[in-house]
Amino acid sequence: QKEVEQDPGPLSVPEGAIVSLNCTYSNSAFQYFMWYRQYSRKGPELLMYTYSSGNKEDGRFTAQVDKSSKYISLFIRDSQPSDSATYLCATGVGAGSYQLTFGKGTKLSVIP
Amino acid sequence: DGGITQSPKYLFRKEGQNVTLSCEQNLNHDAMYWYRQDPGQGLRLIYYSQIVNDFQKGDIAEGYSVSREKKESFPLTVTSAQKNPTAFYLCASSPRQGGGYTFGSGTRLTVV
């Protein structure tokens, strides 16, 4: 079983829809969780960073972590064509351990 | 502005030649990483370095070499031993206390 599983999509939604992107992970030692957005032919950029369980909101984006079920989600409200990108989840053990484990990414297209 | 600079953006190499990809950061981050990204494969770790003059192999180090002579710089050499070098290469860095990676904009290497 891979440490982080992510549905590759592609996912296509109409403009204005609510988007739900999800990952599952197997290592209970993971303590912090991130979502990256990657536009075509660009490097990933950090979108959301959360530590332990709970929700974090930033504008139209909400990151949710459920450690009991080892499930992490990213919700995008009022999706825009500019949100069309690949979204990668990432997890890490904690401070002092540098390495992150990445999902393979979900490709999202928001249709005008 | 702080960030990571990768150069060149596009690189073409003849078979049998070594080529070096540049990665420079001015974020004062301790750790640096090299990833390879192929369609459908996600990010695969090539090498990483936590301190100057020290580095470790990642999952796919064969055919690659690195050096870390300065904190700011982590160049990657793709040698002729790498069987399938055509890919998108990403450099990243992170601070000692953990947290998210900052990625460069990538180098697309094509073997001709």
Side-chain angles (χ1 to χ4, degrees):
Chain A
Q1 180 187 10
K2 292 185 172 59
E3 285 202 293
V4 178
E5 299 272 7
Q6 184 176 9
D7 187 337
L11 180 62
S12 185
V13 301
E15 182 175 355
I18 296 174
V19 176
S20 173
L21 303 167
N22 308 292
C23 290
T24 58
Y25 64 93
S26 58
N27 188 348
S28 58
F30 289 142
Q31 294 290 335
Y32 59 97
F33 308 90
M34 278 144 277
W35 284 94
Y36 285 83
R37 178 176 62 195
Q38 185 178 21
Y39 292 114
S40 181
R41 300 176 186 273
K42 303 288 186 184
E45 56 178 327
L46 183 63
L47 197 59
M48 299 287 282
Y49 176 97
T50 57
Y51 185 79
S52 198
S53 283
N55 292 357
K56 182 175 183 179
E57 188 173 319
D58 184 1
R60 295 185 295 110
F61 299 89
T62 299
Q64 191 174 81
V65 176
D66 182 347
K67 291 190 71 179
S68 62
S69 58
K70 299 188 179 66
Y71 197 81
I72 56 179
S73 301
L74 178 70
F75 299 97
I76 308 174
R77 291 182 298 280
D78 187 25
S79 56
Q80 302 296 309
S82 59
D83 295 327
S84 298
T86 296
Y87 291 80
L88 298 97
C89 61
T91 66
V93 173
S97 176
Y98 294 89
Q99 285 196 54
L100 297 181
T101 302
F102 288 87
K104 289 190 174 182
T106 300
K107 186 171 183 179
L108 171 68
S109 295
V110 180
I111 310 302
Chain B
D1 285 340
I4 295 185
T5 301
Q6 288 188 244
S7 61
K9 191 174 179 67
Y10 298 97
L11 190 56
F12 295 88
R13 190 197 90 176
K14 292 183 178 179
E15 283 192 25
Q17 288 182 337
N18 292 355
V19 64
T20 297
L21 282 59
S22 171
C23 178
E24 303 276 337
Q25 54 101 357
N26 60 4
L27 299 165
N28 199 34
H29 284 172
D30 294 289
M32 296 187 74
Y33 314 82
W34 275 105
Y35 285 89
R36 170 179 172 143
Q37 190 174 40
D38 299 280
Q41 298 271 7
L43 295 172
R44 291 188 289 170
L45 182 63
I46 303 172
Y47 269 98
Y48 66 100
S49 168
Q50 296 180 352
I51 57 172
V52 174
N53 292 322
D54 188 46
F55 48 82
Q56 286 77 41
K57 292 181 179 180
D59 300 318
I60 56 164
E62 185 175 351
Y64 300 97
S65 66
V66 294
S67 63
R68 186 90 186 274
E69 297 177 0
K70 299 186 301 182
K71 187 176 184 178
E72 301 80 17
S73 179
F74 192 40
L76 173 74
T77 297
V78 184
T79 74
S80 56
Q82 170 49 235
K83 300 302 181 191
N84 186 21
T86 295
F88 187 51
Y89 290 88
L90 286 161
C91 180
S93 69
S94 70
R96 178 186 297 274
Q97 64 269 29
Y101 291 0
T102 300
F103 282 90
S105 56
T107 293
R108 186 165 299 276
L109 172 64
T110 303
V111 173
V112 296

